Amino acid sequence: MDPIHNSFKLVEGIYSPINSADVLLSLIADKIKFHNLQILNFQDKNDPNVMRAEMRIEELKASRKLVTDMIIKARDKGLHMKIDGIINIEMLKPL
């Protein structure tokens, strides 16, 4: 039987600020793009899913700002960044 819950490391390592920017900002940009495409696919723009996607985009933009600030700070201080990104996946029955 397949497991219904699994975790795996998506990102793991110590990176220079420029490489950290490539990894982290690319992930955030892809998620923003995903939600924008979801919004375009909804027929009814008043659908609650549209509002959730728009809210998630705003959260991701705020995260992007925080990550960018951290990257700049690390660069200015001559530091590297340790990134440990774990993804948890659980299979559920639809609501």
Side-chain angles (χ1 to χ4, degrees):
M1 180 172 169
D2 292 332
I4 60 169
H5 183 271
N6 207 342
S7 297
F8 65 93
K9 288 192 177 196
L10 183 63
V11 181
E12 176 185 28
I14 298 173
Y15 301 90
S16 68
I18 191 74
N19 288 335
S20 296
D22 284 344
V23 170
L24 296 171
L25 298 177
S26 293
L27 287 170
I28 293 169
D30 283 346
K31 282 298 294 176
I32 290 171
K33 184 171 137 183
F34 169 80
H35 288 293
N36 278 322
L37 287 172
Q38 276 193 320
I39 290 168
L40 290 174
N41 287 328
F42 285 115
Q43 299 297 322
D44 179 6
K45 299 305 173 193
N46 294 318
D47 187 316
N49 291 317
V50 170
M51 291 181 274
R52 276 194 293 277
E54 288 172 341
M55 187 182 311
R56 186 65 184 128
I57 289 169
E58 292 308 311
E59 291 170 353
L60 289 163
K61 287 179 178 180
S63 294
R64 181 178 59 196
K65 169 82 171 92
L66 291 172
V67 167
T68 300
D69 290 346
M70 289 179 70
I71 290 166
I72 291 168
K73 196 176 289 186
R75 182 200 63 198
D76 291 348
K77 292 184 177 194
L79 302 172
H80 279 66
M81 301 176 78
K82 181 179 179 187
I83 303 172
D84 188 15
I86 297 173
I87 301 295
N88 295 307
I89 301 172
E90 185 174 355
M91 291 187 275
L92 304 170
K93 290 184 180 182
L95 299 175

